[in-house]
């Protein structure tokens, strides 16, 4: 567990340092996230070549429980919101209205755009496949094409 | 009786008391969520926040004292954000497969978030300082505060709006997606992270690790894009 924490804090520190040096508008932990991701990708060619190898690391054993309980970390800042309750009271329901309506709208538009693009991509993939089959349909292309298609169809089902 | 009141008063000055109470309240809020089968309003973050506020009021404890008592909890936010790299690495094939939806939903969602907040708050005749403080509210708190100050907003006000937004997202996420008939974890997670940054991401991780991964990706990307778009729109 300590090993896992050391990795997380080390990358956070690296991210904070880089953000400070570059005057980046991005928070240090976000840069640390990207750096840790890059490091894991590099290790996927050596020791982290299977999901089981990742599960065995102290890092993965810490991040699983940490991320499943992410919510409690934001209880203190949530309490701070009610500390500023006068902000909401002062402007009547207007601020609450803006908050709720714009938030619902953003979630709806984002989710629909995402799901729409998914089903469109899946449809294009199927069309391309039928075109390929209608054409020469060389036997060599077949094995490499089918697993990809199976994935895309699965995607289509989930989007629909 | 007065001795009892004295010891309660003494206990409420101890940092340990508030740390222990926060954990206890969170555990009870989680039990409650399970008991009511995950009803949206029984969101553990929302329930815990309300319970803690009541306890602070009852004991006459200031928010500043509470915050300094539970600093160790807040100190874990940074490492937890870094930790998102692990499920992102694990789910990378799904991310690559969804590159096109991400590329579309990111700008569409980010622009909707900013434009909706600005237009609706102007329509409600809110003062400019509030409009500027509301505009970046879907970005993660640190970024939103910096962006808001750059366009004439107020950092503390922005932090409040930002956290309130993410709690709204955590509460409505599952019912809203059910209404929209969206079942794909990637789509649900992306919407949660883009709109509701950290608490939205926390809610997505409760669904599954794919939803959490996409929420984390959306949180990062939207932080960057919001920092670019808000100054363009409000200047």
């Amino acid at each position: 567990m300590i090993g896992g924490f050391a990795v997380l804090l080390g990358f956070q520190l690296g991210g904070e340092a880089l953000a400070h040096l570059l005057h980046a508008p991005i928070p240090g932990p976000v840069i640390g996230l990207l750096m840790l991701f890059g490091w894991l990708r590099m290790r996927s060619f050596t020791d982290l070549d299977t999901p089981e190898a990742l599960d065995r690391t102290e890092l993965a054993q810490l991040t699983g429980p940490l991320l499943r309980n992410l919510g409690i970390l934001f209880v203190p800042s949530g309490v701070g919101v009610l500390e500023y309750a006068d902000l909401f009271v002062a402007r009547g329901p207007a601020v609450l209205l803006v908050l709720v309506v714009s938030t619902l709208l953003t979630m709806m538009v984002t989710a629909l755009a995402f799901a729409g693009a998914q089903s469109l991509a899946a449809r294009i993939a199927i069309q391309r496949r039928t075109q390929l089959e209608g054409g020469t349909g060389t036997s060599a292309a077949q094995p490499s094409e089918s697993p990809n298609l199976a994935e895309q169809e699965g995607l289509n089902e989930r989007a629909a | 009786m007065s001795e009892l009141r004295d010891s309660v008063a003494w206990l409420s000055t101890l940092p340990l008391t508030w740390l222990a109470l926060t954990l206890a309240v969170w555990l009870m809020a989680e039990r409650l969520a399970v008991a009511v089968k995950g009803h949206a309003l029984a969101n553990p973050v929302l329930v815990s926040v309300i319970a803690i506020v009541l306890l602070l009021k009852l004991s006459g404890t200031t928010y500043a004292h509470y915050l300094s008592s539970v600093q160790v909890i807040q100190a874990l936010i940074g490492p937890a954000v870094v930790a998102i790299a692990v499920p992102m690495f694990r789910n990378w094939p799904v991310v690559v497969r969804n590159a096109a939806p991400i590329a579309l939903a990111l700008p569409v969602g980010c622009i909707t978030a900013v434009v909706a907040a600005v237009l609706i708050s102007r329509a409600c005749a809110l003062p400019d300082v509030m409009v500027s403080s509301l505009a970046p509210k879907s970005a993660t708190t640190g970024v939103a505060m910096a962006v808001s100050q750059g366009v004439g907003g107020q950092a503390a006000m922005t932090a409040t709006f930002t956290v309130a937004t993410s709690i709204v997202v955590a509460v409505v996420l599952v019912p809203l997606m059910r209404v929209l008939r969206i079942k794909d974890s990637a789509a649900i997670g992306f919407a949660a992270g883009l709109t509701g940054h950290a608490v939205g991401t926390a809610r997505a991780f409760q669904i599954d690790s794919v939803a959490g991964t996409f929420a984390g990706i959306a949180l990062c990307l939207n932080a960057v894009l919001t920092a670019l778009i808000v100054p363009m729109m409000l200047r």
Side-chain angles (χ1 to χ4, degrees), chain B residues 189-234:
Chain B
F190 199 82
L194 186 140
T195 320
H197 50 99
V199 184
T201 302
R203 183 69 190 86
F205 267 113
Q206 288 175 332
I207 297 173
D208 58 34
S209 107
V210 171
T213 298
F214 278 82
I217 290 170
L219 179 155
C220 295
L221 295 175
N222 194 39
V224 178
L225 198 58
T226 303
L228 295 172
I229 281 183
V230 170
M232 289 198 304
M233 287 211 41
L234 286 177

Side-chain angles (χ1 to χ4, degrees), chain A residues 41 55 76 99 102 118 158, chain B residues 63 90 92 98 137 165 184:
Chain A
R41 286 292 289 174
D55 288 338
L99 269 179
S102 67
Q118 273 181 332
R158 275 185 292 147
Chain B
Y63 176 59
R90 200 192 300 267
W92 193 240
N98 282 292
K137 69 182 171 52
T165 299
D184 185 78

Side-chain angles (χ1 to χ4, degrees), chain B residues 8-9 12-13 18 53-63 65:
Chain B
V8 169
S12 72
T13 62
W18 293 105
V53 168
L54 289 177
L55 288 171
L56 289 177
K57 288 267 182 279
L58 282 176
S59 64
T61 309
T62 62
Y63 176 59
H65 177 72

Side-chain angles (χ1 to χ4, degrees), chain A residues 93-103, chain B residues 116-118 120-122 124 126 134 137:
Chain A
V95 174
L96 214 60
L97 182 86
V98 178
L99 269 179
V100 173
V101 174
S102 67
T103 301
Chain B
V118 170
I120 301 173
S121 54
R122 285 210 174 124
C124 292
L126 291 178
L134 279 161
K137 69 182 171 52

